């Protein structure tokens, strides 16, 4: 009962307002193309483009129609996270090498002050990046999970998949 489902798809943002009980307003997303996604281990959140829906536990039909719902696994643009990583650690990531492997390469810091060079050196010593994530950065796409409810809030927010969770969805 009630209203029909919004079934938000990937496309240029189209959000309608719906009056609810008590005069409250819900923002019903009919189409969305971007959202705020968080990279948990690096504590970094960026607004990125949603490129594709790759998996949905509830229904394969939602993958075929590219419907954005809570819990859906999506492909997002990796560029904003890549630029942040390079600016924060002073290392370039996701550089393709021959034979399908990737490598990490340092950014030239000779023009920077000694204080900033020391900061980058300290951060680079602490820096670790999963090889699986590095290959995703090389392809320019990251797997992420939607944690908001786009049909109810009009937003598509979530987090970047890492570790065993990422390994599960890559199969």
């Amino acid at each position: 009962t009630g209203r029909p489902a919004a079934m938000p798809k990937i496309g240029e943002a189209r959000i309608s307002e719906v009056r609810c009980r008590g005069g409250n307003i819900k923002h019903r997303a009919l189409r969305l193309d971007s959202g705020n996604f968080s990279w948990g281990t690096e504590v970094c959140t960026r607004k990125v483009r949603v490129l594709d829906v790759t998996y949905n536990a509830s229904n394969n039909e939602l993958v075929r129609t590219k419907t954005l719902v809570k819990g859906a696994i999506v492909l997002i643009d990796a560029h904003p996270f890549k630029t942040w990583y390079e600016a924060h650690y002073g290392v370039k990531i996701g550089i393709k090498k021959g034979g399908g492997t990737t490598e990490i390469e340092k950014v030239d810091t000779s023009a920077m002050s000694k204080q900033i060079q020391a900061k980058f050196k300290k951060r680079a010593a602490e820096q670790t990046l999963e090889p699986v994530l590095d290959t995703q950065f090389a392809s320019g796409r990251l797997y992420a999970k939607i944690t908001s409810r786009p049909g109810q809030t009009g937003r598509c927010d979530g987090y970047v998949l890492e570790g065993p969770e990422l390994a599960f969805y890559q199969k």
Side-chain angles (χ1 to χ4, degrees), residues 8-171:
K9 308 274 192 278
I10 295 176
E12 190 178 334
R14 183 186 294 170
I15 299 165
S16 62
E17 289 187 345
V18 178
R19 185 193 177 277
C20 305
R21 184 177 168 113
N24 296 314
I25 289 178
K26 282 185 180 177
H27 300 281
R28 182 142 294 172
L30 304 174
R31 287 198 195 136
L32 285 172
D33 58 354
S34 63
N36 280 330
F37 285 85
S38 174
W39 186 3
T41 55
E42 295 296 337
V43 194
C44 169
T45 302
R46 292 288 176 267
K47 183 175 182 174
V48 292
R49 274 192 4 251
V50 177
L51 303 172
D52 194 16
V53 178
T54 57
Y55 180 80
N56 195 311
S58 60
N59 193 345
N60 281 331
E61 182 73 7
L62 299 177
V63 177
R64 194 181 62 74
T65 58
K66 298 184 192 297
T67 305
L68 301 169
V69 292
K70 181 174 178 171
I73 305 302
V74 293
L75 273 178
I76 59 171
D77 183 22
H79 190 260
F81 291 111
K82 191 174 179 178
T83 52
W84 173 85
Y85 198 89
E86 289 170 4
H88 187 76
Y89 287 107
V91 278
K92 289 187 183 284
I93 54 172
I95 298 165
K96 289 182 183 172
K97 235 175 35 176
T101 59
T102 58
E103 65 178 17
I104 296 174
E105 150 185 317
K106 292 205 182 291
V107 174
D108 182 34
T109 57
S110 59
M112 298 175 187
S113 70
K114 286 195 173 20
Q115 185 179 7
I116 290 177
Q117 286 179 359
K119 182 168 68 172
F120 277 146
K121 194 173 183 180
K122 182 179 176 241
R123 285 181 181 168
E126 300 167 357
Q127 168 250 344
T128 56
L129 182 68
E130 288 181 53
V132 186
L133 269 180
D134 199 29
T135 55
Q136 284 189 349
F137 276 114
S139 70
R141 296 164 173 228
L142 294 171
Y143 281 101
K145 186 172 191 170
I146 298 175
T147 53
S148 67
R149 299 174 68 194
Q152 305 286 323
T153 61
R155 307 170 66 118
C156 181
D157 303 336
Y159 62 91
V160 175
L161 295 178
E162 304 174 85
E165 194 175 12
L166 173 60
F168 175 79
Y169 289 115
Q170 277 193 318
K171 290 175 185 168

